[in-house]
């Protein structure tokens, strides 16, 4: 039982990483691990609080993601073109369609793709390179702050799970 518990906690750690790194499942992975623990332990009463907290975190994460990107874009004066460019850049960067780099691979593409996509999108819309760069940086900074908040929310969900289930598993 303890081995399964630690494996599920490890899955939750991957979920924390996924809350911060785009394209990896985050809070949903944590939620699945909690549900699996409820099934394995045959005690859904023991996971009631972590389950509720994680569902709230899941909804908050979605809201934070959109809100942080939106606020970052608006603070920098970005248009919808910049936001669409950032999304396209994220997908293209993750798939590795950016020029081959000597290091970094898809992770570097995830970081550079949205920035380059936002700059290109804004430049196509406004035809002013300086404003396009400012908007691109604003979108990326907003997204990074949103990812940081999502990571903190995911950590909180895992901590609530461990605190509430630890006595059930280890008896102390």
């Amino acid at each position: 039982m303890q081995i399964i518990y630690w494996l599920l906690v490890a899955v939750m750690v991957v979920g924390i990483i996924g809350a911060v790194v785009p394209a990896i499942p985050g809070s949903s992975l944590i939620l699945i691990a909690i549900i699996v623990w409820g099934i394995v332990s045959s005690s859904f009463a023991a996971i009631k609080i972590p389950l509720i907290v994680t569902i709230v975190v899941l909804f908050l994460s979605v809201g934070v993601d959109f809100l942080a990107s939106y606020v970052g874009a608006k603070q920098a004066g970005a248009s919808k073109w910049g936001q669409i460019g950032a999304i396209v850049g994220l997908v293209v960067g993750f798939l590795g369609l950016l020029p081959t780099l000597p290091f970094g691979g898809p992770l570097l593409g995830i970081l550079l793709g949205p920035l380059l996509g936002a700059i290109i999108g804004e430049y196509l819309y406004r035809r002013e390179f300086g404003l396009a760069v400012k908007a691109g940086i604003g979108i990326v900074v907003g997204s990074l702050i949103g990812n940081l908040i999502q990571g903190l929310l995911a950590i909180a969900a895992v901590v609530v799970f461990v605190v509430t289930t630890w006595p059930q598993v280890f008896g102390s």
Side-chain angles (χ1 to χ4, degrees), residues 21-46:
V21 177
I24 298 175
S27 299
S28 57
L29 198 56
I30 296 169
L31 181 63
I32 291 168
I34 290 172
I35 292 170
V36 168
W37 178 252
I39 293 168
V40 168
S41 68
S42 299
S43 174
F44 280 97

Side-chain angles (χ1 to χ4, degrees), residues 166-172:
W166 190 271
Q168 176 188 6
V169 177
F170 297 101
S172 55

